[in-house]
C-alpha cells in the first residue's frame, strides 16, 4: 500500500520534474546552439563572398569568361561551396557547378539586390534552413562602380546533420544520467517504504492494544528518530495502561470483597456494575447482567423507586426497604450520583446495607429489657399485694393468711427460679468467653436416662410418657452436668407445651462425628413466625399461657448457651398442629477417637 | 423510515419497562399476600389490598400504551406479536394482583379467628406459585422459551396440591362441622393460589408465543 502511494506521490512526480527540467534546459540550449551555428556559417559565407569579390575584381573588366569560370571552380574546390558570379544586371557570368548560360537571371534574389546596392547581404532566417540553402552575396566593385556580384551558396544539410548528431549525443548522455538518477531514487524510495511499512505495522499493533515494544529502529533512512519516539511513546502508554488496570483491579477487588451490596446504573437505568454482595442480596445468579436494564434483573419496586430518586436528586439519598426472598432482608440503602471525569452526571450508585441482623439485635435488646422487668414485676406485684393485705390492722383471718402466705411463697420461688436462671445464664456467658468447658467421656444413653428420671415426676403429673431412643454404645466427650441441664430443660418444655401429644420422644445419635440430641413432642406445635426468635431470652409464643405454666422464659436460652459452650447449635422444627422437635447438635470432630 | 423505526424501538422499550414494573408490583403483591397468610400478618394483608388499586392503574397504563403503539406505528411481525402478548400478559398480571388481594382478604379473616393452623400444603403451594410467577417473569425478561415451558409444566403440581387441599378440607369439615366457615376460607385461599398459578402459566405461554410465534395453548403436549 505504501509502495503505491510512494510511487505515485513521490517517485513519479520527482522523475517527471527532473525530466521536464532537463528536457526544457536541453531544448533551450540546443536551439541557442543551432542559432549560433547558423550565425557562424553565415559569417563564414559572408567572409568567403567578400574575399571572392576582391579576387574577382582583378578579372574586370571581363576579358575571359573562362578564366572567371575556372576561378569559381577553384573556389569551390577550396571551400566546397557553390560560387556564382553575376553581372550587374543579374546575368550569370560564371558558376562553379552549372553552365552559366543555362542559369536564370539572379537579379530577383533579395541578396543580389542588396549586394547590388553595395552591401554584403546574406539570408539568415529559418526559412533558409527549410529551403536547404544559405545565400551570401557581395558586390564586385571596381573604381567605385559595381561591376558584378559574387553569390556564395551553401547547403544547410551539413550544419543540421552536425547539430542533430550533437543533440542525439547529448540526449544519450542525459538519458543515462536520468536513468541512474531514477535508479537511486527508486532504491531510496524502497528503503523509505520499508520503514514506513514497519511504522504502519507498529501503529496498527498499538491501536490493537499490543504495546510490547518490537519495532526495530534500523529500517528507515531518516525515520529512526520517529520510530524511536514511537517506541518510547508506546512504552509510556503501556505503563499508564498497566497502572490504570492495576487501579481498576484494586477497585474491583475492594468492591467485590465488600459486605455491602454495590449497584451502579447509568442514566438509562442500565447496570454498570454490581458486586457479589448485591447480587446475593437479591438472589441473582446470572453473570452477564452488566448492560441490561436494572429492573429486569433486580425486580423490586422499592429499589426501582429508590434508584429513580437517586437519578433525579442531586443530593445523596437514603432509604430503607425489605427484599423478599427465601429470607426477608431489611435493607438500608444509600444512593449518590455517579459523575464522570468532567463532573457530568452519568448515573447513580446505590450502596445496599443488609441491616436485618442489626434490626433483630435491636429488637432483642429492647424486648429483653421489657421482658425482664415484666417477669420480675409480676411476682413482686403479687407478693406486695398480699403482704399489704396481711399487714392491714384489721386483718384477722388465719385461714386466708395461710393461703396468702402460700401464694407469696410460690411467687418468691418463681422469682428465685428466674433469678437463678438469669444468674446461671450470665455465669455461663462469662465463663464461655474465658475458659473452655471441662469435658469427659459420657455414655449418651445413660445421660439421657438420668435426665428422664429427673423429669419423671413432672411426666407422671402431666400423664405423659417419655420414650428414649438411643444406642447404648454411643459415647461422646461432653460436659455432663451442663448437657443434662439442657436436655432436662427441653424435656420440661415438651411436657409443658406438648400436652396434646401424650408422649415425648428423646433420642440421641451420632452422625458424621456430630452428636444429635433431640426432643420431640406431638403437641400443638409452634408457628413459623416464632421459630427464629424462640431461643431469645424471655421470648414467649403465648405470654399468658406459658407464664401460667411456671416457666422462667429462660429455658431455651439456657439450652442455646449450653450448646454454644460445646461449640454446638440448637434448632427447632415445628409444624403447627403436628408438634415440634428440638435438636442439639454438637460437633465431636476434635474429640473423635 | 429510520426515524420511525427508532421511535417504535423507544416506545417498545418503554412498554417493556412498564410491563416489567407491573410484573414486579404483582410479584411483590403475591409474595406479601402469601406471607400475610402464613404469618397471620393483618397489616401486611391490608397493604396488599390497598396496593391493588395501584396495580389496576398500571394495567390501564400498559393497555393504553399498547393501543397507542398499535395505532401510531402499525407494527408488524415480531413487534406485533410482542404487543399482542403484552396485551394478554397485562390482563393476566392484573388478575393475579386481584387474586393476591383476595388471598390477603382470606388472611385477614383467618388471623381474626382463633388459632387455626394453616395446612402445610398451602405453604408449599404458595412457594410453588411464587416461584412460577417469578420464573414466568424471568422468562419474559430473558425471552427464554425453555424457562417458560418449565413454568407451564409446574402448573400440574399446583393443581395436584389444590386437589389434595379439597380432600383434606372435606374430611376436616366432616370432623369439625362447627368450623366449616374457616375451612371454606382456607379452601378458597388455596383456590386463589391455584388460579394465580394458572395465570402464571398463561404468561409463560405468551412468552413462548412472542419468542417462537407458536401458540401452545390448549395442547396436551408441550
Amino acid at each position: 500500500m505504501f509502495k503505491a502511494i510512494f510511487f505515485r506521490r513521490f517517485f513519479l512526480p520527482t522523475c517527471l520534474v527532473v525530466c521536464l527540467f532537463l528536457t526544457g534546459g536541453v531544448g533551450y540550449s540546443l536551439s541557442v546552439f543551432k542559432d549560433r551555428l547558423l550565425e557562424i556559417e553565415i559569417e563564414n559565407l559572408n567572409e568567403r563572398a567578400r574575399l571572392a569579390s576582391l579576387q574577382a575584381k582583378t578579372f574586370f573588366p571581363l576579358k575571359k569568361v573562362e578564366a572567371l569560370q575556372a576561378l569559381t571552380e577553384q573556389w569551390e574546390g577550396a571551400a566546397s561551396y557553390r560560387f556564382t558570379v553575376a553581372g550587374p544586371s543579374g546575368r550569370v557570368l560564371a558558376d562553379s557547378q552549372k553552365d552559366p548560360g543555362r542559369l536564370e537571371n539572379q537579379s530577383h534574389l533579395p541578396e543580389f539586390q542588396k549586394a547590388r546596392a553595395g552591401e554584403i547581404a546574406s539570408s539568415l532566417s529559418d526559412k533558409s534552413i527549410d529551403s536547404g540553402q544559405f545565400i551570401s552575396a557581395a558586390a564586385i566593385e571596381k573604381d567605385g562602380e559595381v561591376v558584378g556580384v559574387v553569390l556564395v551558396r551553401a547547403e544547410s544539410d551539413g550544419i543540421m546533420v552536425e547539430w542533430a548528431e550533437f543533440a542525439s549525443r547529448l540526449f544519450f548522455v542525459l538519458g543515462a544520467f536520468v536513468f541512474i538518477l531514477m535508479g537511486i531514487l527508486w532504491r531510496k524510495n524502497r528503503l523509505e517504504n520499508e520503514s514506513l511499512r514497519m511504522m504502519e505495522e507498529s501503529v496498527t499493533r498499538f491501536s490493537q492494544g499490543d504495546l510490547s515494544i518490537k519495532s526495530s529502529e534500523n529500517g528507515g533512512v531518516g525515520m529512526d528518530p520517529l520510530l524511536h519516539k514511537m517506541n518510547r511513546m508506546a512504552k509510556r502508554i503501556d505503563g499508564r495502561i498497566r497502572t490504570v488496570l492495576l487501579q481498576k483491579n484494586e477497585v474491583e477487588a475492594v468492591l467485590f470483597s465488600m459486605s455491602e451490596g454495590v449497584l451502579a446504573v447509568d442514566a438509562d437505568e442500565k447496570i454498570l456494575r454490581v458486586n457479589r454482595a448485591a447480587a446475593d442480596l437479591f438472589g441473582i445468579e446470572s453473570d452477564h447482567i452488566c448492560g441490561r436494564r436494572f429492573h429486569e434483573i433486580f425486580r423490586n419496586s422499592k429499589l426501582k423507586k429508590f434508584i429513580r430518586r437517586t437519578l433525579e436528586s442531586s443530593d445523596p439519598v437514603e432509604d430503607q426497604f425489605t427484599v423478599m426472598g427465601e429470607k426477608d432482608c431489611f435493607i438500608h440503602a444509600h444512593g449518590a450520583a455517579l459523575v464522570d471525569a468532567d463532573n457530568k452526571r452519568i448515573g447513580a450508585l446505590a450502596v445496599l446495607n443488609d441491616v436485618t441482623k442489626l434490626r433483630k439485635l435491636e429488637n432483642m435488646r429492647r424486648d429483653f429489657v421489657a421482658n425482664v422487668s415484666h417477669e420480675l414485676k409480676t411476682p413482686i406485684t403479687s407478693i406486695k399485694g398480699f403482704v399489704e393485705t396481711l399487714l392491714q390492722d384489721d386483718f384477722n383471718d388465719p385461714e386466708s393468711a395461710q393461703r396468702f402466705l402460700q401464694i407469696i411463697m410460690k411467687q418468691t420461688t418463681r422469682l428465685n427460679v428466674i433469678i437463678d436462671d438469669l444468674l446461671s445464664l450470665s455465669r455461663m456467658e462469662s465463663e464461655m468467653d474465658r475458659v473452655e468447658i471441662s469435658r469427659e467421656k459420657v455414655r449418651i444413653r445413660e445421660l439421657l436416662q438420668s435426665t428422664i428420671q429427673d423429669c419423671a415426676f413432672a411426666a407422671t403429673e402431666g400423664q405423659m410418657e417419655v420414650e428414649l431412643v438411643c444406642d447404648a454404645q454411643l459415647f461422646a466427650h461432653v460436659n455432663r452436668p451442663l448437657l443434662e441441664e439442657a436436655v432436662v430443660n427441653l424435656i420440661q418444655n415438651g411436657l409443658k407445651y406438648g400436652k396434646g401429644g401424650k408422649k415425648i420422644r428423646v433420642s440421641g445419635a451420632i452422625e458424621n462425628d456430630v452428636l444429635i440430641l433431640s426432643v420431640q413432642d406431638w403437641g400443638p406445635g409452634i408457628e413459623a413466625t416464632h421459630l427464629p426468635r424462640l431461643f431469645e431470652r424471655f421470648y414467649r409464643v403465648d405470654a399468658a399461657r406459658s407464664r401460667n405454666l411456671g416457666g422462667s422464659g429462660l429455658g431455651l436460652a439456657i439450652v442455646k448457651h449450653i450448646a454454644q459452650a460445646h461449640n454446638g447449635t440448637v434448632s427447632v422444627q415445628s409444624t403447627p398442629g403436628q408438634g415440634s422437635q428440638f435438636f442439639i447438635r454438637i460437633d465431636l470432630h476434635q474429640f473423635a477417637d | 423510515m429510520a426515524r420511525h423505526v427508532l421511535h417504535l424501538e423507544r416506545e417498545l422499550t418503554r412498554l417493556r419497562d412498564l410491563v416489567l414494573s407491573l410484573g414486579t408490583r404483582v410479584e411483590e403483591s403475591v409474595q406479601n399476600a402469601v406471607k400475610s397468610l402464613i404469618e397471620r400478618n393483618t397489616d401486611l394483608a391490608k397493604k396488599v389490598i390497598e396496593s391493588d388499586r395501584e396495580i389496576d392503574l398500571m394495567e390501564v397504563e400498559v393497555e393504553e400504551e399498547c393501543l397507542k403503539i398499535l395505532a401510531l406505528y402499525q407494527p408488524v411481525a415480531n413487534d406485533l406479536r410482542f404487543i399482542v402478548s403484552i396485551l394478554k400478559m397485562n390482563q393476566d398480571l392484573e388478575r393475579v394482583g386481584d387474586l393476591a388481594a383476595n388471598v390477603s382478604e382470606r388472611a385477614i379473616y383467618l388471623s381474626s379467628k382463633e388459632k387455626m393452623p394453616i395446612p402445610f400444603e398451602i405453604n408449599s403451594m404458595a412457594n410453588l406459585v411464587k416461584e412460577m410467577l417469578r420464573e414466568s417473569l424471568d422468562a419474559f425478561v430473558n425471552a427464554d422459551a425453555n424457562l417458560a415451558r418449565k413454568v407451564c409444566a409446574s402448573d400440574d403440581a399446583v393443581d395436584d396440591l389444590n386437589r389434595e387441599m379439597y380432600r383434606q378440607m372435606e374430611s376436616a369439615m366432616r370432623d369439625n362441622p362447627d368450623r366449616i366457615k374457616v375451612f371454606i376460607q382456607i379452601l378458597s385461599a388455596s383456590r386463589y393460589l391455584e388460579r394465580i398459578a394458572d395465570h402464571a402459566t398463561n404468561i409463560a405461554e405468551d412468552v413462548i408465543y412472542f419468542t417462537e410465534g407458536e401458540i401452545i395453548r390448549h395442547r396436551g403436549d408441550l
Side-chain angles (χ1 to χ4, degrees), chain A residues 269 283 292-293 295-302 304-305 308 322 324-325 328 527-530 541-542 575-578, chain B residues 13 16-17 20-21 23-25 27-28 31-32 35 38-40 54 115 117-118 120 130 133-135 137-138 141-142:
Chain A
E269 296 185 5
R292 308 215 14 206
R293 298 178 77 79
H295 67 279
E296 288 182 2
I297 309 293
F298 294 89
R299 279 214 303 276
N300 185 303
S301 54
K302 295 265 177 49
K304 186 181 171 179
K305 245 180 220 160
R308 199 151 273 182
T322 38
M324 282 186 289
D328 292 354
E527 273 175 67
T529 36
H530 301 299
V541 173
D542 185 338
T575 313
Q578 292 178 13
Chain B
T13 311
R16 211 174 124 86
D17 279 4
L20 215 55
S21 300
T24 309
R25 284 312 298 262
E27 201 181 343
E28 284 169 357
Q31 279 173 341
N32 282 331
K35 196 174 169 187
I38 293 172
E39 295 180 2
R40 298 171 177 280
E54 204 177 325
K115 296 258 149 129
I118 307 283
F120 189 67
K130 269 193 323 202
L133 189 63
R134 195 172 60 77
E135 280 180 348
L137 286 174
D138 278 346
V141 167
N142 300 319

Side-chain angles (χ1 to χ4, degrees), chain A residues 44-60:
Chain A
N44 203 5
L45 277 183
N46 285 351
E47 206 62 34
R48 302 252 164 194
R50 196 173 306 125
L51 280 172
S53 73
L54 285 177
Q55 209 177 352
K57 198 161 77 179
T58 52
F59 289 82
F60 284 91

Side-chain angles (χ1 to χ4, degrees), chain A residues 458-466 494-495 498-504:
Chain A
T460 42
E461 204 176 45
Q463 295 174 341
M464 301 271 282
E465 195 186 316
V466 182
L495 292 172
K499 278 276 158 53
K502 308 281 178 220
K503 183 172 90 169
I504 289 173

Side-chain angles (χ1 to χ4, degrees), chain B residues 91-148:
Chain B
Q91 282 182 354
D92 283 321
L93 285 171
E94 192 272 335
R95 279 298 297 149
V96 172
D98 289 349
L99 289 167
N102 291 343
V103 170
S104 297
E105 280 162 14
R106 297 314 108 179
I108 291 174
Y109 175 84
L110 285 173
S111 55
S112 74
K113 289 291 135 189
E114 59 165 308
K115 296 258 149 129
M116 169 66 209
I118 307 283
F120 189 67
E121 278 76 9
I122 286 272
N123 222 326
S124 39
M125 215 167 138
N127 284 331
L128 209 61
V129 167
K130 269 193 323 202
E131 183 74 10
M132 277 174 73
L133 189 63
R134 195 172 60 77
E135 280 180 348
S136 67
L137 286 174
D138 278 346
F140 168 70
V141 167
N142 300 319
D144 183 348
N146 288 331
L147 188 60

Side-chain angles (χ1 to χ4, degrees), chain A residues 116-248:
Chain A
R116 184 76 180 73
E119 31 182 318
I120 294 172
S122 54
S123 59
L124 217 179
S125 66
D126 282 337
K127 216 179 116 199
S128 44
I129 297 173
D130 295 339
S131 71
Q133 226 174 26
F134 302 106
I135 301 172
S136 187
I140 306 166
E141 282 176 57
K142 187 126 190 182
D143 307 328
E145 200 182 329
V146 176
V147 288
V149 170
V150 177
L151 291 152
V152 186
R153 287 188 170 87
E155 297 299 319
S156 64
D157 296 7
I159 303 159
M160 289 317 288
V161 164
E162 203 176 318
W163 180 78
E165 200 175 301
F166 173 76
S168 72
R169 211 175 300 150
L170 191 65
F171 271 116
F172 176 74
V173 170
L174 280 176
F177 172 68
V178 165
F179 188 74
I180 291 166
L181 189 75
M182 282 185 175
I184 292 169
L185 269 177
W186 182 247
R187 199 179 134 62
K188 188 158 169 55
N189 171 10
R190 279 192 41 188
L191 282 174
E192 298 294 308
N193 267 347
E194 188 55 27
S195 61
L196 268 179
R197 197 184 51 73
M198 269 166 47
M199 278 202 293
E200 189 213 6
E201 247 175 39
S202 329
V203 170
T204 316
R205 270 215 322 274
F206 292 170
S207 68
Q208 283 162 356
D210 174 16
L211 289 169
S212 55
I213 306 118
K214 261 185 269 164
S215 45
S216 68
E217 296 176 12
N218 54 3
V221 189
M223 295 290 182
D224 284 359
L226 186 56
L227 268 175
H228 181 64
K229 272 177 190 150
M230 268 170 59
N231 280 346
R232 245 184 30 209
M233 179 190 81
K235 203 169 160 185
R236 274 164 72 178
I237 291 177
D238 194 36
R240 279 197 195 161
I241 288 178
R242 269 166 204 281
T243 316
V244 169
L245 262 179
L246 188 74
Q247 281 168 353
K248 189 182 158 233

Side-chain angles (χ1 to χ4, degrees), chain A residues 390-428:
Chain A
L390 287 173
L391 284 180
Q392 270 168 8
D393 293 340
D394 53 348
F395 186 81
N396 196 7
D397 182 355
E399 227 173 87
S400 298
Q402 185 69 22
R403 198 161 50 83
F404 287 174
L405 285 172
Q406 260 163 12
I407 293 174
I408 289 170
M409 180 67 192
K410 191 180 156 202
Q411 295 297 343
T412 318
T413 318
R414 190 167 143 69
L415 260 182
N416 201 32
V417 167
I418 292 174
I419 288 167
D420 274 352
D421 278 357
L422 268 178
L423 281 176
S424 77
L425 203 59
S426 79
R427 195 181 57 237
M428 229 180 311

Side-chain angles (χ1 to χ4, degrees), chain A residues 422-447:
Chain A
L422 268 178
L423 281 176
S424 77
L425 203 59
S426 79
R427 195 181 57 237
M428 229 180 311
E429 229 168 24
S430 61
E431 263 174 29
M432 226 174 73
D433 288 344
R434 280 188 287 118
V435 287
E436 184 75 11
I437 51 163
S438 61
R439 300 199 188 208
E440 56 188 323
K441 199 172 180 182
V442 175
R443 192 190 286 268
I444 299 300
R445 195 181 166 88
E446 241 168 57
L447 186 149

